[in-house]
PDB file of all heavy atoms in Angstrom:
ATOM      1  N   ASN A   1      86.359   3.646 160.892  1.00 59.00           N
ATOM      2  CA  ASN A   1      87.399   4.563 160.837  1.00 59.00           C
ATOM      3  C   ASN A   1      87.241   5.528 159.642  1.00 59.00           C
ATOM      4  O   ASN A   1      87.539   6.756 159.717  1.00 59.00           O
ATOM      5  CB  ASN A   1      88.797   3.875 160.727  1.00 59.00           C
ATOM      6  CG  ASN A   1      89.411   3.789 162.069  1.00 59.00           C
ATOM      7  OD1 ASN A   1      89.498   4.757 162.774  1.00 59.00           O
ATOM      8  ND2 ASN A   1      89.929   2.607 162.379  1.00 59.00           N
ATOM      9  N   GLU A   2      86.835   4.981 158.503  1.00 59.00           N
ATOM     10  CA  GLU A   2      86.733   5.792 157.323  1.00 59.00           C
ATOM     11  C   GLU A   2      85.691   6.904 157.513  1.00 59.00           C
ATOM     12  O   GLU A   2      85.886   8.051 157.095  1.00 59.00           O
ATOM     13  CB  GLU A   2      86.365   4.926 156.131  1.00 59.00           C
ATOM     14  CG  GLU A   2      87.460   3.967 155.645  1.00 59.00           C
ATOM     15  CD  GLU A   2      87.078   3.187 154.446  1.00 59.00           C
ATOM     16  OE1 GLU A   2      85.969   3.411 153.935  1.00 59.00           O
ATOM     17  OE2 GLU A   2      87.852   2.333 154.039  1.00 59.00           O
ATOM     18  N   GLU A   3      84.588   6.560 158.179  1.00 63.00           N
ATOM     19  CA  GLU A   3      83.551   7.574 158.406  1.00 63.00           C
ATOM     20  C   GLU A   3      84.057   8.612 159.384  1.00 63.00           C
ATOM     21  O   GLU A   3      83.820   9.821 159.225  1.00 63.00           O
ATOM     22  CB  GLU A   3      82.308   6.875 158.984  1.00 63.00           C
ATOM     23  CG  GLU A   3      81.152   7.844 159.235  1.00 63.00           C
ATOM     24  CD  GLU A   3      79.950   7.159 159.800  1.00 63.00           C
ATOM     25  OE1 GLU A   3      79.915   5.912 159.846  1.00 63.00           O
ATOM     26  OE2 GLU A   3      78.998   7.883 160.228  1.00 63.00           O
ATOM     27  N   GLY A   4      84.807   8.165 160.391  1.00 63.00           N
ATOM     28  CA  GLY A   4      85.369   9.111 161.345  1.00 63.00           C
ATOM     29  C   GLY A   4      86.351  10.099 160.714  1.00 63.00           C
ATOM     30  O   GLY A   4      86.305  11.298 160.959  1.00 63.00           O
ATOM     31  N   LEU A   5      87.194   9.582 159.834  1.00 65.00           N
ATOM     32  CA  LEU A   5      88.135  10.428 159.100  1.00 65.00           C
ATOM     33  C   LEU A   5      87.438  11.433 158.228  1.00 65.00           C
ATOM     34  O   LEU A   5      87.832  12.604 158.127  1.00 65.00           O
ATOM     35  CB  LEU A   5      89.092   9.547 158.250  1.00 65.00           C
ATOM     36  CG  LEU A   5      90.124   8.766 159.046  1.00 65.00           C
ATOM     37  CD1 LEU A   5      90.811   7.745 158.120  1.00 65.00           C
ATOM     38  CD2 LEU A   5      91.162   9.716 159.627  1.00 65.00           C
ATOM     39  N   GLU A   6      86.314  10.961 157.633  1.00 70.00           N
ATOM     40  CA  GLU A   6      85.557  11.876 156.764  1.00 70.00           C
ATOM     41  C   GLU A   6      84.938  13.020 157.577  1.00 70.00           C
ATOM     42  O   GLU A   6      84.953  14.193 157.149  1.00 70.00           O
ATOM     43  CB  GLU A   6      84.463  11.100 156.034  1.00 70.00           C
ATOM     44  CG  GLU A   6      83.670  11.917 155.070  1.00 70.00           C
ATOM     45  CD  GLU A   6      82.539  11.110 154.408  1.00 70.00           C
ATOM     46  OE1 GLU A   6      82.628   9.826 154.521  1.00 70.00           O
ATOM     47  OE2 GLU A   6      81.647  11.705 153.783  1.00 70.00           O
ATOM     48  N   ARG A   7      84.431  12.677 158.747  1.00 71.00           N
ATOM     49  CA  ARG A   7      83.829  13.705 159.637  1.00 71.00           C
ATOM     50  C   ARG A   7      84.874  14.714 160.110  1.00 71.00           C
ATOM     51  O   ARG A   7      84.608  15.898 160.150  1.00 71.00           O
ATOM     52  CB  ARG A   7      83.114  13.056 160.776  1.00 71.00           C
ATOM     53  CG  ARG A   7      81.835  12.348 160.363  1.00 71.00           C
ATOM     54  CD  ARG A   7      81.157  11.648 161.519  1.00 71.00           C
ATOM     55  NE  ARG A   7      79.938  10.981 161.092  1.00 71.00           N
ATOM     56  CZ  ARG A   7      78.752  11.574 161.079  1.00 71.00           C
ATOM     57  NH1 ARG A   7      78.627  12.863 161.496  1.00 71.00           N
ATOM     58  NH2 ARG A   7      77.637  10.966 160.685  1.00 71.00           N
ATOM     59  N   TYR A   8      86.033  14.195 160.469  1.00 71.00           N
ATOM     60  CA  TYR A   8      87.063  15.153 160.887  1.00 71.00           C
ATOM     61  C   TYR A   8      87.548  16.045 159.767  1.00 71.00           C
ATOM     62  O   TYR A   8      87.949  17.206 159.977  1.00 71.00           O
ATOM     63  CB  TYR A   8      88.234  14.359 161.557  1.00 71.00           C
ATOM     64  CG  TYR A   8      87.883  13.875 162.917  1.00 71.00           C
ATOM     65  CD1 TYR A   8      87.989  12.529 163.231  1.00 71.00           C
ATOM     66  CD2 TYR A   8      87.493  14.737 163.934  1.00 71.00           C
ATOM     67  CE1 TYR A   8      87.653  12.012 164.515  1.00 71.00           C
ATOM     68  CE2 TYR A   8      87.169  14.282 165.211  1.00 71.00           C
ATOM     69  CZ  TYR A   8      87.276  12.946 165.474  1.00 71.00           C
ATOM     70  OH  TYR A   8      86.942  12.460 166.742  1.00 71.00           O
ATOM     71  N   ALA A   9      87.556  15.491 158.558  1.00 72.00           N
ATOM     72  CA  ALA A   9      87.880  16.294 157.405  1.00 72.00           C
ATOM     73  C   ALA A   9      86.886  17.449 157.216  1.00 72.00           C
ATOM     74  O   ALA A   9      87.285  18.581 156.907  1.00 72.00           O
ATOM     75  CB  ALA A   9      87.930  15.412 156.139  1.00 72.00           C
ATOM     76  N   HIS A  10      85.580  17.139 157.406  1.00 72.00           N
ATOM     77  CA  HIS A  10      84.589  18.183 157.356  1.00 72.00           C
ATOM     78  C   HIS A  10      84.814  19.259 158.430  1.00 72.00           C
ATOM     79  O   HIS A  10      84.644  20.466 158.139  1.00 72.00           O
ATOM     80  CB  HIS A  10      83.202  17.568 157.506  1.00 72.00           C
ATOM     81  CG  HIS A  10      82.660  16.919 156.269  1.00 72.00           C
ATOM     82  ND1 HIS A  10      82.530  17.580 155.082  1.00 72.00           N
ATOM     83  CD2 HIS A  10      82.264  15.623 156.033  1.00 72.00           C
ATOM     84  CE1 HIS A  10      82.052  16.753 154.167  1.00 72.00           C
ATOM     85  NE2 HIS A  10      81.905  15.560 154.707  1.00 72.00           N
ATOM     86  N   LEU A  11      85.175  18.791 159.609  1.00 71.00           N
ATOM     87  CA  LEU A  11      85.399  19.779 160.709  1.00 71.00           C
ATOM     88  C   LEU A  11      86.568  20.697 160.342  1.00 71.00           C
ATOM     89  O   LEU A  11      86.576  21.909 160.645  1.00 71.00           O
ATOM     90  CB  LEU A  11      85.708  19.052 162.004  1.00 71.00           C
ATOM     91  CG  LEU A  11      84.469  18.575 162.838  1.00 71.00           C
ATOM     92  CD1 LEU A  11      84.903  17.678 163.970  1.00 71.00           C
ATOM     93  CD2 LEU A  11      83.689  19.762 163.323  1.00 71.00           C
ATOM     94  N   SER A  12      87.626  20.097 159.754  1.00 69.00           N
ATOM     95  CA  SER A  12      88.754  20.909 159.346  1.00 69.00           C
ATOM     96  C   SER A  12      88.394  21.956 158.338  1.00 69.00           C
ATOM     97  O   SER A  12      88.790  23.128 158.434  1.00 69.00           O
ATOM     98  CB  SER A  12      89.857  19.987 158.781  1.00 69.00           C
ATOM     99  OG  SER A  12      90.333  19.064 159.733  1.00 69.00           O
ATOM    100  N   GLN A  13      87.513  21.598 157.400  1.00 68.00           N
ATOM    101  CA  GLN A  13      87.082  22.544 156.386  1.00 68.00           C
ATOM    102  C   GLN A  13      86.159  23.615 156.948  1.00 68.00           C
ATOM    103  O   GLN A  13      86.065  24.719 156.423  1.00 68.00           O
ATOM    104  CB  GLN A  13      86.360  21.795 155.261  1.00 68.00           C
ATOM    105  CG  GLN A  13      87.249  20.859 154.490  1.00 68.00           C
ATOM    106  CD  GLN A  13      86.459  19.902 153.561  1.00 68.00           C
ATOM    107  OE1 GLN A  13      85.270  20.036 153.435  1.00 68.00           O
ATOM    108  NE2 GLN A  13      87.169  18.951 152.984  1.00 68.00           N
ATOM    109  N   ALA A  14      85.509  23.268 158.066  1.00 69.00           N
ATOM    110  CA  ALA A  14      84.554  24.220 158.684  1.00 69.00           C
ATOM    111  C   ALA A  14      85.242  25.260 159.540  1.00 69.00           C
ATOM    112  O   ALA A  14      84.603  26.136 160.084  1.00 69.00           O
ATOM    113  CB  ALA A  14      83.519  23.470 159.495  1.00 69.00           C
ATOM    114  N   GLY A  15      86.547  25.162 159.724  1.00 68.00           N
ATOM    115  CA  GLY A  15      87.282  26.182 160.518  1.00 68.00           C
ATOM    116  C   GLY A  15      88.123  25.639 161.624  1.00 68.00           C
ATOM    117  O   GLY A  15      88.676  26.384 162.396  1.00 68.00           O
ATOM    118  N   PHE A  16      88.216  24.311 161.720  1.00 73.00           N
ATOM    119  CA  PHE A  16      88.968  23.687 162.846  1.00 73.00           C
ATOM    120  C   PHE A  16      90.217  22.975 162.292  1.00 73.00           C
ATOM    121  O   PHE A  16      90.690  22.004 162.908  1.00 73.00           O
ATOM    122  CB  PHE A  16      88.104  22.698 163.624  1.00 73.00           C
ATOM    123  CG  PHE A  16      86.916  23.369 164.300  1.00 73.00           C
ATOM    124  CD1 PHE A  16      85.712  23.406 163.712  1.00 73.00           C
ATOM    125  CD2 PHE A  16      87.087  23.880 165.558  1.00 73.00           C
ATOM    126  CE1 PHE A  16      84.617  24.015 164.337  1.00 73.00           C
ATOM    127  CE2 PHE A  16      85.983  24.527 166.205  1.00 73.00           C
ATOM    128  CZ  PHE A  16      84.770  24.565 165.595  1.00 73.00           C
ATOM    129  N   ALA A  17      90.785  23.480 161.226  1.00 71.00           N
ATOM    130  CA  ALA A  17      91.913  22.787 160.591  1.00 71.00           C
ATOM    131  C   ALA A  17      93.129  22.729 161.497  1.00 71.00           C
ATOM    132  O   ALA A  17      93.904  21.708 161.468  1.00 71.00           O
ATOM    133  CB  ALA A  17      92.301  23.486 159.282  1.00 71.00           C
ATOM    134  N   ASN A  18      93.345  23.716 162.350  1.00 73.00           N
ATOM    135  CA  ASN A  18      94.507  23.714 163.235  1.00 73.00           C
ATOM    136  C   ASN A  18      94.188  23.347 164.655  1.00 73.00           C
ATOM    137  O   ASN A  18      94.995  23.578 165.558  1.00 73.00           O
ATOM    138  CB  ASN A  18      95.179  25.084 163.145  1.00 73.00           C
ATOM    139  CG  ASN A  18      95.737  25.371 161.787  1.00 73.00           C
ATOM    140  OD1 ASN A  18      96.344  24.494 161.177  1.00 73.00           O
ATOM    141  ND2 ASN A  18      95.600  26.600 161.323  1.00 73.00           N
ATOM    142  N   ASN A  19      92.961  22.857 164.891  1.00 79.00           N
ATOM    143  CA  ASN A  19      92.583  22.478 166.233  1.00 79.00           C
ATOM    144  C   ASN A  19      93.326  21.194 166.675  1.00 79.00           C
ATOM    145  O   ASN A  19      93.313  20.198 165.933  1.00 79.00           O
ATOM    146  CB  ASN A  19      91.089  22.269 166.331  1.00 79.00           C
ATOM    147  CG  ASN A  19      90.638  21.835 167.698  1.00 79.00           C
ATOM    148  OD1 ASN A  19      90.277  20.681 167.848  1.00 79.00           O
ATOM    149  ND2 ASN A  19      90.758  22.728 168.692  1.00 79.00           N
ATOM    150  N   LYS A  20      93.921  21.211 167.851  1.00 84.00           N
ATOM    151  CA  LYS A  20      94.697  20.107 168.320  1.00 84.00           C
ATOM    152  C   LYS A  20      93.845  18.831 168.495  1.00 84.00           C
ATOM    153  O   LYS A  20      94.267  17.763 168.157  1.00 84.00           O
ATOM    154  CB  LYS A  20      95.380  20.449 169.634  1.00 84.00           C
ATOM    155  CG  LYS A  20      96.424  19.448 170.088  1.00 84.00           C
ATOM    156  CD  LYS A  20      96.996  19.729 171.429  1.00 84.00           C
ATOM    157  CE  LYS A  20      96.097  19.146 172.478  1.00 84.00           C
ATOM    158  NZ  LYS A  20      96.704  19.170 173.841  1.00 84.00           N
ATOM    159  N   TYR A  21      92.655  19.024 169.016  1.00 84.00           N
ATOM    160  CA  TYR A  21      91.790  17.881 169.246  1.00 84.00           C
ATOM    161  C   TYR A  21      91.450  17.180 167.928  1.00 84.00           C
ATOM    162  O   TYR A  21      91.524  15.927 167.823  1.00 84.00           O
ATOM    163  CB  TYR A  21      90.520  18.307 169.943  1.00 84.00           C
ATOM    164  CG  TYR A  21      89.504  17.178 170.069  1.00 84.00           C
ATOM    165  CD1 TYR A  21      89.671  16.229 171.128  1.00 84.00           C
ATOM    166  CD2 TYR A  21      88.459  17.005 169.199  1.00 84.00           C
ATOM    167  CE1 TYR A  21      88.803  15.204 171.267  1.00 84.00           C
ATOM    168  CE2 TYR A  21      87.613  15.912 169.321  1.00 84.00           C
ATOM    169  CZ  TYR A  21      87.743  15.018 170.363  1.00 84.00           C
ATOM    170  OH  TYR A  21      86.901  13.975 170.506  1.00 84.00           O
ATOM    171  N   VAL A  22      91.087  17.934 166.903  1.00 84.00           N
ATOM    172  CA  VAL A  22      90.733  17.347 165.581  1.00 84.00           C
ATOM    173  C   VAL A  22      91.975  16.639 165.008  1.00 84.00           C
ATOM    174  O   VAL A  22      91.838  15.530 164.468  1.00 84.00           O
ATOM    175  CB  VAL A  22      90.223  18.452 164.639  1.00 84.00           C
ATOM    176  CG1 VAL A  22      90.070  17.853 163.223  1.00 84.00           C
ATOM    177  CG2 VAL A  22      88.927  19.001 165.141  1.00 84.00           C
ATOM    178  N   LEU A  23      93.113  17.255 165.122  1.00 88.00           N
ATOM    179  CA  LEU A  23      94.338  16.604 164.595  1.00 88.00           C
ATOM    180  C   LEU A  23      94.660  15.333 165.346  1.00 88.00           C
ATOM    181  O   LEU A  23      95.018  14.315 164.731  1.00 88.00           O
ATOM    182  CB  LEU A  23      95.526  17.572 164.759  1.00 88.00           C
ATOM    183  CG  LEU A  23      95.551  18.778 163.828  1.00 88.00           C
ATOM    184  CD1 LEU A  23      96.640  19.773 164.257  1.00 88.00           C
ATOM    185  CD2 LEU A  23      95.728  18.368 162.378  1.00 88.00           C
ATOM    186  N   LEU A  24      94.488  15.337 166.679  1.00 90.00           N
ATOM    187  CA  LEU A  24      94.764  14.140 167.476  1.00 90.00           C
ATOM    188  C   LEU A  24      93.795  13.006 167.144  1.00 90.00           C
ATOM    189  O   LEU A  24      94.197  11.846 166.994  1.00 90.00           O
ATOM    190  CB  LEU A  24      94.705  14.457 168.962  1.00 90.00           C
ATOM    191  CG  LEU A  24      95.938  15.101 169.571  1.00 90.00           C
ATOM    192  CD1 LEU A  24      95.672  15.470 171.046  1.00 90.00           C
ATOM    193  CD2 LEU A  24      97.140  14.161 169.533  1.00 90.00           C
ATOM    194  N   GLN A  25      92.522  13.372 167.009  1.00 87.00           N
ATOM    195  CA  GLN A  25      91.508  12.306 166.728  1.00 87.00           C
ATOM    196  C   GLN A  25      91.762  11.733 165.292  1.00 87.00           C
ATOM    197  O   GLN A  25      91.597  10.538 165.070  1.00 87.00           O
ATOM    198  CB  GLN A  25      90.117  12.877 166.810  1.00 87.00           C
ATOM    199  CG  GLN A  25      89.715  13.249 168.235  1.00 87.00           C
ATOM    200  CD  GLN A  25      89.824  12.090 169.191  1.00 87.00           C
ATOM    201  OE1 GLN A  25      89.278  10.990 168.905  1.00 87.00           O
ATOM    202  NE2 GLN A  25      90.482  12.273 170.303  1.00 87.00           N
ATOM    203  N   THR A  26      92.172  12.571 164.385  1.00 88.00           N
ATOM    204  CA  THR A  26      92.480  12.085 163.036  1.00 88.00           C
ATOM    205  C   THR A  26      93.711  11.156 163.104  1.00 88.00           C
ATOM    206  O   THR A  26      93.731  10.085 162.449  1.00 88.00           O
ATOM    207  CB  THR A  26      92.787  13.267 162.095  1.00 88.00           C
ATOM    208  OG1 THR A  26      91.688  14.152 162.110  1.00 88.00           O
ATOM    209  CG2 THR A  26      92.948  12.773 160.671  1.00 88.00           C
ATOM    210  N   ALA A  27      94.692  11.563 163.909  1.00 91.00           N
ATOM    211  CA  ALA A  27      95.865  10.700 164.096  1.00 91.00           C
ATOM    212  C   ALA A  27      95.501   9.361 164.702  1.00 91.00           C
ATOM    213  O   ALA A  27      96.040   8.282 164.312  1.00 91.00           O
ATOM    214  CB  ALA A  27      96.914  11.399 164.968  1.00 91.00           C
ATOM    215  N   LEU A  28      94.614   9.383 165.720  1.00 90.00           N
ATOM    216  CA  LEU A  28      94.180   8.138 166.353  1.00 90.00           C
ATOM    217  C   LEU A  28      93.433   7.226 165.357  1.00 90.00           C
ATOM    218  O   LEU A  28      93.619   5.983 165.361  1.00 90.00           O
ATOM    219  CB  LEU A  28      93.309   8.441 167.548  1.00 90.00           C
ATOM    220  CG  LEU A  28      94.015   9.054 168.743  1.00 90.00           C
ATOM    221  CD1 LEU A  28      92.993   9.427 169.803  1.00 90.00           C
ATOM    222  CD2 LEU A  28      95.053   8.132 169.328  1.00 90.00           C
ATOM    223  N   ALA A  29      92.601   7.859 164.520  1.00 86.00           N
ATOM    224  CA  ALA A  29      91.844   7.083 163.498  1.00 86.00           C
ATOM    225  C   ALA A  29      92.871   6.444 162.552  1.00 86.00           C
ATOM    226  O   ALA A  29      92.741   5.240 162.161  1.00 86.00           O
ATOM    227  CB  ALA A  29      90.872   7.935 162.758  1.00 86.00           C
ATOM    228  N   GLN A  30      93.911   7.165 162.130  1.00 89.00           N
ATOM    229  CA  GLN A  30      94.893   6.591 161.232  1.00 89.00           C
ATOM    230  C   GLN A  30      95.690   5.498 161.944  1.00 89.00           C
ATOM    231  O   GLN A  30      96.041   4.484 161.331  1.00 89.00           O
ATOM    232  CB  GLN A  30      95.888   7.727 160.808  1.00 89.00           C
ATOM    233  CG  GLN A  30      95.252   8.853 160.005  1.00 89.00           C
ATOM    234  CD  GLN A  30      94.937   8.506 158.572  1.00 89.00           C
ATOM    235  OE1 GLN A  30      94.904   7.312 158.215  1.00 89.00           O
ATOM    236  NE2 GLN A  30      94.701   9.513 157.736  1.00 89.00           N
ATOM    237  N   TYR A  31      95.934   5.684 163.237  1.00 90.00           N
ATOM    238  CA  TYR A  31      96.644   4.647 163.952  1.00 90.00           C
ATOM    239  C   TYR A  31      95.883   3.370 164.069  1.00 90.00           C
ATOM    240  O   TYR A  31      96.399   2.275 163.839  1.00 90.00           O
ATOM    241  CB  TYR A  31      96.903   5.175 165.423  1.00 90.00           C
ATOM    242  CG  TYR A  31      97.337   4.131 166.440  1.00 90.00           C
ATOM    243  CD1 TYR A  31      98.621   3.586 166.351  1.00 90.00           C
ATOM    244  CD2 TYR A  31      96.483   3.732 167.446  1.00 90.00           C
ATOM    245  CE1 TYR A  31      99.001   2.616 167.257  1.00 90.00           C
ATOM    246  CE2 TYR A  31      96.902   2.794 168.367  1.00 90.00           C
ATOM    247  CZ  TYR A  31      98.167   2.215 168.272  1.00 90.00           C
ATOM    248  OH  TYR A  31      98.533   1.259 169.199  1.00 90.00           O
ATOM    249  N   HIS A  32      94.556   3.440 164.280  1.00 85.00           N
ATOM    250  CA  HIS A  32      93.735   2.219 164.408  1.00 85.00           C
ATOM    251  C   HIS A  32      93.566   1.599 163.026  1.00 85.00           C
ATOM    252  O   HIS A  32      93.312   0.401 162.921  1.00 85.00           O
ATOM    253  CB  HIS A  32      92.406   2.554 165.014  1.00 85.00           C
ATOM    254  CG  HIS A  32      92.471   2.836 166.483  1.00 85.00           C
ATOM    255  ND1 HIS A  32      92.936   1.877 167.429  1.00 85.00           N
ATOM    256  CD2 HIS A  32      92.194   3.929 167.226  1.00 85.00           C
ATOM    257  CE1 HIS A  32      92.896   2.425 168.611  1.00 85.00           C
ATOM    258  NE2 HIS A  32      92.482   3.661 168.549  1.00 85.00           N
ATOM    259  N   ALA A  33      93.692   2.413 161.966  1.00 82.00           N
ATOM    260  CA  ALA A  33      93.641   1.860 160.594  1.00 82.00           C
ATOM    261  C   ALA A  33      94.992   1.363 160.187  1.00 82.00           C
ATOM    262  O   ALA A  33      95.175   0.868 159.072  1.00 82.00           O
ATOM    263  CB  ALA A  33      93.166   2.943 159.646  1.00 82.00           C
TER     264      ALA A  33
END
C-alpha cells in the first residue's frame, strides 16, 4: 500500500491531482491500510 500511495502521489504532482481515478485509487489504498 505504501508504494502504491507513493506512486499516486507522483501522478498527482505530474498533473493528475484532480483526476477522479487517481483520487479513488488513493482512497482505496487508504481503505485497505
